[in-house]
Amino acid sequence: MKTPNTRSGENREIVIRGGRVLDPSSGLDGIMDVRISDGRIAEVGSGLRGARELDADGLHLFPGFVDVHAHWRSPGHEHKENIESGSAAAAAGGFTSVVMMPNTDPVVDKPIVVSGLAKRVSEESRVRAHISAALHVGLNGERLTEMRLLKEAGAFCVSDDGLGTQNAGVLRNALLYAKSAGLPVILHCEDHTLSADGVVHEGAHAALAGLPGIPASAEDVSTAAGLILAAETGAKTHITHVSTELSATLVGFFEARGDITSDTTPHHLTLTDELASTLDGMYRVNPPLRSEDHRDGVRDALRSGVLDFVATDHAPHASEEKDLPLEEASPGFLGHETAFPAIYTELVRDGELSLPRLVEAMSAAPGVWVGGSGSLAVGSFADLTLVDLSEEWTVSRDTMASKSSNSPYLGRTMASRIVGTIVGGEIVHDIHDIFSGAKFGIRA
Ligand code: DOR
């Protein structure tokens, strides 16, 4: 991880004073000071002073967000995103750790690709970045990857994200092998015989727009199979981008019966298939935006903790792949930079979701899953997100740190802004220069 804004160790110690500290994992909630020293949280309390101080009056301080689902497109699709731009986008969204998906070119299915990527991450990423290798060679759902060797080369987990595994016997073997290799599995649940040529959620909007639909069953059938096999094998399994009411209910049934976690995305929580009526390729995503009933079911499941995390499925695409009619466009949305503001604006502001639950779903819970992140307890990594809940801003191509601009929120006004992100005590995002010398009270 590179440390772009650090000059000769000057950020070794910072006291962030008077911010509203909210850390569900350690029960902190109140106006407090935080001392960061040598990349760790050194002290949390009141009346703390230091040679370098940041006045965080009016700001909220959360444990850094953790995104277990990101496409940084490296290697091979670096015109869409690369490690520098993907990690800048993550930092701009308050994310201090991410998991990078393997549907790249070449696919991350060989140890040499994993080790090359790990080297690039160590040189180019602003945030902690974990590598997901492929579950199957070429993501083709047939031959298992050499998971032990992938792990030795630096893989953190395995996934065929973008594709569901169609054969239950193959998936069972994959889960057993991943378990024996000590690698968690992230499952994209989709039965391709049911999603077929669909491009939007099957329902009234698809019918009115004359677009082929993807039924909810395409996700539910595959989620059920994945959960049954995860419970039976005991493999550490994460079900990603849950978008239907039934899949959320199934997750709730199986979670206590295995080493199983789950996430949903900001877009499945905040948008619906009504956008299909625009016919605009911008709104194509997989799984598709669902109906209000599904969106509400997913909201309920996140609120109650049945769905554990929010993960963005940050999926950059070039404009020539998105400025197209819906049925011709590539599926995927940018996610990092708008995740917290979108959910805060749509759900927290009007009381549908509590702020502590959102922070738990974006920091503490995924932080435990990746290990050692998502907490402001003394001794933890100094990974923090500073947010101004009162700042309004409008999402535009100019606000994007990503190389791409395929955000479904373009033109929307957001009701909160990530103003600073710190990783291991280093400032990796500082939108208003709040950390610059001008605002640092250098005490005598
Ligand atoms: O919409 C999506 N885009 N869903 C996925 O599962 C993959 C992703 C991508 O890689 O573009």
Side-chain angles (χ1 to χ4, degrees), residues 60-83:
H60 276 70
L61 244 82
F62 306 134
F65 301 146
V66 177
D67 192 350
V68 303
H69 194 149
H71 298 271
W72 284 359
R73 306 301 191 206
S74 182
H77 298 131
E78 294 180 5
H79 59 293
K80 303 184 188 195
E81 199 77 290
N82 59 21
I83 291 169

Side-chain angles (χ1 to χ4, degrees), residues 112-148:
I112 193 73
V113 182
V114 173
S115 53
L117 203 49
K119 183 163 180 291
R120 284 194 198 177
V121 164
S122 69
E123 289 166 358
E124 295 168 26
S125 181
R126 293 184 186 214
V127 305
R128 301 179 202 280
H130 304 282
I131 296 169
S132 175
L135 190 60
H136 296 97
V137 175
L139 309 172
N140 67 7
E142 289 170 12
R143 197 151 54 89
L144 297 182
T145 50
E146 289 288 357
M147 295 185 211
R148 288 169 192 275

